[in-house]
Amino acid sequence: MPERSEERQGDQRVRYLEVALVLPVFGWLAWAIWRLPNGSIGWAWVFFTVTVIVVDLIPVPAWGGMQLSLSFPLLLGVSILYPPAVAGLAALAGSADPREIRRDIHPMLALWNRSQMAAAMILGSWVFHLVASPYSSWTTLLPATTLAAVVAYAVNTVLVALHASVEHRMSIEDVLAKMHGARPWEFLSSYLALGLLGAVIARFYTSEGAWSVIVFLAPLVFARQMYFRSRALTDQLEERNQLLAQQAARLEELLEKEHATVDELRELNRMKGEFVAVVSHELRTPVTALIGYAKTLRQPEFADDPMMRQEFLERMQRQGDRLLRLVENLLTAAKLESDEIRVVVARVLFEDLAAEVAEGLASEAERIKVDVPNDLPVMYTDRQLLSRIVSNLLDNALKYSPEGSPCELVARADGDHILFWVRDHGIGISEEQIGRIFDRFYQVDSSSTRRFRGAGLGLSMVRGLLDRLGGTIEVQSEPGTGSTFTVRIPVQAETSVS
Ligand code: ADP
């Protein structure tokens, strides 16, 4: 509310200022015209006033630079040709503003605008007639016109600044700085040049008559319109150029992203190709072994020896288990990929699960040292998925450490989580590789001559499964010393995860 009333007060101050100019200007003009000799205001006055109105009403595009005012030289011409009162009346009647017709501005403001133009011309004309007459020689006419233009320009500028300073409650200096920016001299010189046109108009009129003024003005009006149009076009072009530059930058950004995606896809494709080769090899090895053992067993000297038969059957079972684990891993990885893994929550004792997984690793089982306390909290999670996690970590630990070296599976309670880790004393993983071992198809050594079997799927699958069960995995490793994979998994799996 206080702001509103302040605004209203500001409005009132502006109105007082307007009245303070409008009344004396109107009063003085009425008095001065009444005192003029009869016939001082004739057809010539009407001609100039109408020309000023026409020139003012021709629309020019809004542009924040200097106004190429053609009414200014015309009014200055009138100020040269006639006494101050006639010049003031022409400015008052002629300085039309299209906004007045559209009723976009307050009537008092319209009267102020006209009055300040009238005041500028009255003083300009008065100064001119002090030193020259319309019939003076060019050498007198031009300096006198320049003087009149400076006075009119100064009166105009001061009044406009005064109005703006009262309206926007700013100091006059600030308003002036805002009005003409850093180019006051440019403004003054352009007004002086326009003023000299006033001298030419006055001289044409006195020597050639009204038609010469029209012939002189028409190309000027045309040139002004052309100038504004080309300015508007330049502005538009600049705007478009900026837009185009922005779009080009955006396109470049997108292209870069596209390149990155293509590179990524290429790398993935290469890895997939490698993966197919690796998996085929991984499948062929146990199958070849199985066929070999089967063929051997068909020979009577082996089939009839119970010891031999037992030995070969065990080997066949080991190869079968290996094959089964690989196929199961492939299936789980495919399901993870297509988001088809279903979490089936059931009561699980980690202790039992650990023992079962260790046993499942058959011949290597004796290398695994299980340290799981029997008072761990009962888990409610997916038994099968958790077994897959533990068996993959144990399988890796056995695989990447020397034959016979022990691997540990240790578990501890950790609030509503269970913490377990698988430690080996094997080859370890270098720091650069650690960031990538959980990527799909990634193998530190994927060459065809590599020492270790595997398809590069285990760890990415472990991480995928842990995501489903709400767990996390961390790895600490040192090349040549061994690795520890630590898993933290909630006792109660989230059932909403599917
Ligand atoms: P892989 O089938 O090759 O074992 P994984 O996804 O299980 O695939 O492991 C990815 C890579 O991480 C392996 O190729 C191996 O180089 C490295 N890695 C995994 N576990 C161990 C470990 N316990 N010790 C050393 N390296 C390991």
Side-chain angles (χ1 to χ4, degrees), residues 278 282 326 329 392-401 422-424 426-430 433 436-446 450 452-462 475 477 482-485:
V278 167
E282 286 302 305
L326 179 64
N329 272 357
N392 264 286
L393 292 177
L394 277 175
D395 197 27
N396 276 352
L398 295 168
K399 190 164 69 173
Y400 296 108
S401 55
V422 175
R423 175 177 296 145
D424 65 59
I427 60 168
I429 308 158
S430 70
Q433 311 289 355
R436 300 202 56 195
I437 55 173
F438 291 97
D439 291 353
R440 254 183 314 158
F441 314 136
Y442 184 78
Q443 295 189 297
V444 172
D445 177 10
S446 58
R450 67 200 156 85
F452 306 102
R453 60 187 168 79
L457 270 182
L459 287 182
S460 87
M461 192 187 73
V462 164
V475 55
S477 186
S483 316
T484 305
F485 287 81

